[in-house]
PDB file of all heavy atoms in Angstrom:
ATOM      1  N   THR A  55      95.917 -71.877-125.615  1.00 94.00           N
ATOM      2  CA  THR A  55      95.421 -72.094-126.955  1.00 94.00           C
ATOM      3  C   THR A  55      95.275 -70.640-127.710  1.00 94.00           C
ATOM      4  O   THR A  55      95.725 -70.550-128.836  1.00 94.00           O
ATOM      5  CB  THR A  55      94.113 -72.943-126.895  1.00 94.00           C
ATOM      6  OG1 THR A  55      94.324 -74.031-126.138  1.00 94.00           O
ATOM      7  CG2 THR A  55      93.585 -73.193-128.362  1.00 94.00           C
ATOM      8  N   ARG A 104      86.377 -71.374-129.907  1.00 96.00           N
ATOM      9  CA  ARG A 104      86.221 -72.270-128.823  1.00 96.00           C
ATOM     10  C   ARG A 104      84.999 -71.953-128.127  1.00 96.00           C
ATOM     11  O   ARG A 104      84.519 -70.799-128.030  1.00 96.00           O
ATOM     12  CB  ARG A 104      87.386 -71.952-127.812  1.00 96.00           C
ATOM     13  CG  ARG A 104      87.140 -72.626-126.539  1.00 96.00           C
ATOM     14  CD  ARG A 104      88.278 -72.594-125.566  1.00 96.00           C
ATOM     15  NE  ARG A 104      89.280 -73.528-125.877  1.00 96.00           N
ATOM     16  CZ  ARG A 104      90.366 -73.768-125.096  1.00 96.00           C
ATOM     17  NH1 ARG A 104      90.544 -73.219-123.989  1.00 96.00           N
ATOM     18  NH2 ARG A 104      91.189 -74.688-125.492  1.00 96.00           N
ATOM     19  N   HIS A 132      89.223 -81.483-129.332  1.00 98.00           N
ATOM     20  CA  HIS A 132      90.256 -80.245-129.362  1.00 98.00           C
ATOM     21  C   HIS A 132      91.377 -80.700-130.326  1.00 98.00           C
ATOM     22  O   HIS A 132      92.502 -81.171-129.959  1.00 98.00           O
ATOM     23  CB  HIS A 132      90.842 -80.119-127.977  1.00 98.00           C
ATOM     24  CG  HIS A 132      91.571 -78.839-127.682  1.00 98.00           C
ATOM     25  ND1 HIS A 132      91.973 -78.005-128.669  1.00 98.00           N
ATOM     26  CD2 HIS A 132      92.005 -78.363-126.591  1.00 98.00           C
ATOM     27  CE1 HIS A 132      92.677 -77.028-128.182  1.00 98.00           C
ATOM     28  NE2 HIS A 132      92.672 -77.180-126.881  1.00 98.00           N
ATOM     29  N   GLN A 135      95.143 -79.596-130.332  1.00 98.00           N
ATOM     30  CA  GLN A 135      95.896 -80.107-129.086  1.00 98.00           C
ATOM     31  C   GLN A 135      96.454 -81.469-129.461  1.00 98.00           C
ATOM     32  O   GLN A 135      97.675 -81.671-129.069  1.00 98.00           O
ATOM     33  CB  GLN A 135      95.002 -80.064-127.914  1.00 98.00           C
ATOM     34  CG  GLN A 135      95.638 -80.689-126.530  1.00 98.00           C
ATOM     35  CD  GLN A 135      96.731 -79.708-126.003  1.00 98.00           C
ATOM     36  OE1 GLN A 135      96.526 -78.525-126.033  1.00 98.00           O
ATOM     37  NE2 GLN A 135      97.796 -80.196-125.582  1.00 98.00           N
ATOM     38  N   ARG A 165      87.928 -82.983-123.766  1.00 97.00           N
ATOM     39  CA  ARG A 165      87.916 -82.995-125.271  1.00 97.00           C
ATOM     40  C   ARG A 165      89.404 -83.430-125.801  1.00 97.00           C
ATOM     41  O   ARG A 165      89.514 -83.989-126.827  1.00 97.00           O
ATOM     42  CB  ARG A 165      87.593 -81.675-125.762  1.00 97.00           C
ATOM     43  CG  ARG A 165      88.344 -80.495-125.118  1.00 97.00           C
ATOM     44  CD  ARG A 165      87.708 -79.177-125.445  1.00 97.00           C
ATOM     45  NE  ARG A 165      88.357 -78.122-124.723  1.00 97.00           N
ATOM     46  CZ  ARG A 165      87.648 -77.017-124.319  1.00 97.00           C
ATOM     47  NH1 ARG A 165      86.338 -76.875-124.617  1.00 97.00           N
ATOM     48  NH2 ARG A 165      88.329 -76.035-123.747  1.00 97.00           N
ATOM     49  N   VAL A 166      90.393 -83.141-124.745  1.00 98.00           N
ATOM     50  CA  VAL A 166      91.795 -83.460-125.171  1.00 98.00           C
ATOM     51  C   VAL A 166      91.901 -85.043-125.296  1.00 98.00           C
ATOM     52  O   VAL A 166      92.571 -85.502-126.168  1.00 98.00           O
ATOM     53  CB  VAL A 166      92.736 -82.933-124.116  1.00 98.00           C
ATOM     54  CG1 VAL A 166      94.079 -83.338-124.374  1.00 98.00           C
ATOM     55  CG2 VAL A 166      92.714 -81.450-124.217  1.00 98.00           C
ATOM     56  N   ARG A 219      93.506 -82.902-116.078  1.00 95.00           N
ATOM     57  CA  ARG A 219      93.016 -81.999-114.925  1.00 95.00           C
ATOM     58  C   ARG A 219      91.614 -82.515-114.667  1.00 95.00           C
ATOM     59  O   ARG A 219      90.862 -82.915-115.446  1.00 95.00           O
ATOM     60  CB  ARG A 219      92.930 -80.666-115.502  1.00 95.00           C
ATOM     61  CG  ARG A 219      92.509 -79.571-114.588  1.00 95.00           C
ATOM     62  CD  ARG A 219      92.684 -78.186-115.207  1.00 95.00           C
ATOM     63  NE  ARG A 219      91.734 -78.024-116.430  1.00 95.00           N
ATOM     64  CZ  ARG A 219      90.566 -77.531-116.300  1.00 95.00           C
ATOM     65  NH1 ARG A 219      90.063 -77.133-115.182  1.00 95.00           N
ATOM     66  NH2 ARG A 219      89.840 -77.374-117.329  1.00 95.00           N
ATOM     67  N   GLN A 221      88.148 -81.418-114.459  1.00 89.00           N
ATOM     68  CA  GLN A 221      87.567 -80.257-115.125  1.00 89.00           C
ATOM     69  C   GLN A 221      86.285 -79.994-114.313  1.00 89.00           C
ATOM     70  O   GLN A 221      85.198 -80.199-114.870  1.00 89.00           O
ATOM     71  CB  GLN A 221      87.301 -80.554-116.499  1.00 89.00           C
ATOM     72  CG  GLN A 221      88.689 -80.678-117.278  1.00 89.00           C
ATOM     73  CD  GLN A 221      88.738 -81.749-118.338  1.00 89.00           C
ATOM     74  OE1 GLN A 221      88.352 -81.525-119.505  1.00 89.00           O
ATOM     75  NE2 GLN A 221      89.198 -82.876-118.007  1.00 89.00           N
ATOM     76  N   PRO A 259      98.045 -81.485-121.077  1.00 98.00           N
ATOM     77  CA  PRO A 259      97.667 -80.488-121.906  1.00 98.00           C
ATOM     78  C   PRO A 259      97.749 -79.058-121.195  1.00 98.00           C
ATOM     79  O   PRO A 259      97.638 -77.981-121.999  1.00 98.00           O
ATOM     80  CB  PRO A 259      96.217 -80.737-122.351  1.00 98.00           C
ATOM     81  CG  PRO A 259      95.778 -81.671-121.221  1.00 98.00           C
ATOM     82  CD  PRO A 259      96.951 -82.288-120.689  1.00 98.00           C
ATOM     83  N   GLY A 260      97.697 -78.988-119.845  1.00 95.00           N
ATOM     84  CA  GLY A 260      97.569 -77.759-119.211  1.00 95.00           C
ATOM     85  C   GLY A 260      96.103 -77.319-119.199  1.00 95.00           C
ATOM     86  O   GLY A 260      95.411 -77.708-120.151  1.00 95.00           O
ATOM     87  N   PRO A 261      95.722 -76.457-118.256  1.00 95.00           N
ATOM     88  CA  PRO A 261      96.410 -76.062-117.134  1.00 95.00           C
ATOM     89  C   PRO A 261      96.574 -77.156-116.047  1.00 95.00           C
ATOM     90  O   PRO A 261      95.693 -77.871-115.864  1.00 95.00           O
ATOM     91  CB  PRO A 261      95.516 -74.962-116.539  1.00 95.00           C
ATOM     92  CG  PRO A 261      94.198 -75.154-117.184  1.00 95.00           C
ATOM     93  CD  PRO A 261      94.376 -75.911-118.460  1.00 95.00           C
TER      94      PRO A 261
HETATM   95  C1  NCD B 401      92.613 -77.992-122.209  1.00 76.38           C
HETATM   96  C2  NCD B 401      91.286 -77.505-122.791  1.00 76.38           C
HETATM   97  O1  NCD B 401      90.944 -76.341-122.702  1.00 76.38           O
HETATM   98  O2  NCD B 401      90.608 -78.321-123.406  1.00 76.38           O
HETATM   99  N1  NCD B 401      93.593 -77.097-122.291  1.00 76.38           N
HETATM  100  C3  NCD B 401      94.200 -76.794-123.538  1.00 76.38           C
HETATM  101  O3  NCD B 401      93.567 -76.234-124.419  1.00 76.38           O
HETATM  102  N2  NCD B 401      95.571 -76.953-123.578  1.00 76.38           N
HETATM  103  C4  NCD B 401      92.409 -78.910-121.130  1.00 76.38           C
HETATM  104  C5  NCD B 401      91.848 -78.389-119.767  1.00 76.38           C
HETATM  105  O4  NCD B 401      91.232 -77.312-119.790  1.00 76.38           O
HETATM  106  O5  NCD B 401      92.009 -79.081-118.826  1.00 76.38           O
END
Side-chain angles (χ1 to χ4, degrees):
T55 308
R104 167 173 284 192
H132 192 350
Q135 178 70 39
R165 52 192 173 212
V166 174
R219 175 177 72 87
Q221 290 141 87

